[in-house]
Amino acid sequence: MKLIRVKKIDPKYRKESIVVKMARYSIGKNGHPLSTWALGSCLAIILFDPSRKIVALAHAMLPDPIAKVDNPAKYVSTAIYTMMHDLVKLGVKKDKLRAGLVGGAKILKFRWSHSSLPLTQIGTRNIQRARRILMDLGIPIRVEDIGGTRSRNLVFFPLTGVVMVSYAGTFARGGLSFEN
C-alpha cells in the first residue's frame, strides 16, 4: 500500500469507483476502486488483501456503540470486525490483510477552554480505537493520513495498492467554529 496526496482528486475517479457513504462499508473485488468523501472526524478504514486485490472500505463515524448496534459500519469497532468477517467469507486469510487509516481530524473548534470535551475528541478516539483493534488482530497498518484539522477525500486503487488522498478546501482554514 502506498499513500499519495494530491491537491484535488480527479472527478473521473469518483465516477469510476464504488462510493462508500458515511456509516457504510463496501467490498471491492476484481480491482474495482473504492472511494469515500468528506472525512472529518470520521475515519476511513481500509482492509486490503494485496495478493487477491480484494478490499473493504468503511466510513465510520464513532469509536464504539453506546447501546445496541443499529448499523455496524457506523462504529470503528464493529466496522473492522464486520469487514474482516465478510472478507474471510470471500476466502481472504486474515494474516494476508493490510490496513490503512485516513481521517480522524479535529474539525469542531470551540471558543471556550473545554477542548477536552468528548465531542471535540471524536477523531482522536476513532484513530485510537482502530489502532488498538488492528494491533490486537495482528493486522499491520501500512498507510495512515490521520488527525489534523482538515477534512479529507480518498480513492483506493486495489490493483496498485495506492491510497489517493486530498484535503477538502471547506475545512482547510481550521475547521468549523462554535462560540459559547
Side-chain angles (χ1 to χ4, degrees):
M1 293 175 75
K2 180 180 177 183
L3 176 68
I4 296 177
R5 292 183 185 100
V6 296
K7 282 189 176 187
K8 184 177 179 182
I9 295 175
D10 190 322
K12 76 176 182 180
Y13 294 133
R14 185 176 186 138
K15 291 178 189 171
E16 296 170 357
S17 67
I18 298 168
V19 177
V20 179
K21 295 182 180 181
M22 187 184 306
R24 299 282 181 244
Y25 79 97
S26 190
I27 293 179
K29 299 180 271 187
N30 304 321
H32 203 92
L34 290 124
S35 65
T36 194
W37 305 87
L39 288 160
S41 59
C42 293
L43 189 66
I45 304 155
I46 303 165
L47 295 181
F48 178 53
D49 178 344
S51 61
R52 298 196 56 202
K53 309 293 185 204
I54 297 175
V55 61
L57 172 66
H59 184 139
M61 297 172 60
L62 299 165
D64 291 294
I66 296 170
K68 182 181 175 209
V69 176
D70 53 338
N71 170 3
K74 186 176 182 179
Y75 309 99
V76 169
S77 58
T78 53
I80 292 172
Y81 288 108
T82 301
M83 290 190 305
M84 190 179 71
H85 177 262
D86 288 352
L87 289 169
V88 168
K89 284 195 320 191
L90 292 172
V92 171
K93 302 219 181 313
K94 187 183 94 169
D95 65 330
K96 300 288 184 191
L97 288 174
R98 304 295 177 258
L101 301 175
V102 176
K106 185 177 181 180
I107 297 297
L108 301 175
K109 284 188 170 186
F110 293 88
R111 297 200 181 172
W112 63 85
S113 62
H114 303 295
S115 63
S116 63
L117 289 170
L119 182 61
T120 66
Q121 300 299 318
I122 293 170
T124 300
R125 290 174 38 227
N126 284 339
I127 294 163
Q128 291 170 341
R129 188 67 173 123
R131 283 178 166 170
R132 167 52 67 191
I133 292 169
L134 293 167
M135 187 179 77
D136 289 348
L137 291 170
I139 299 172
I141 300 169
R142 295 288 188 232
V143 167
E144 284 188 331
D145 192 282
I146 54 174
T149 58
R150 295 168 55 190
S151 178
R152 296 166 174 90
N153 302 313
L154 81 81
V155 180
F156 181 71
F157 300 93
L159 293 179
T160 60
V162 167
V163 181
M164 184 182 292
V165 175
S166 70
Y167 291 89
T170 310
F171 297 104
R173 291 177 189 84
L176 302 173
S177 294
F178 296 89
E179 294 184 19
N180 186 1

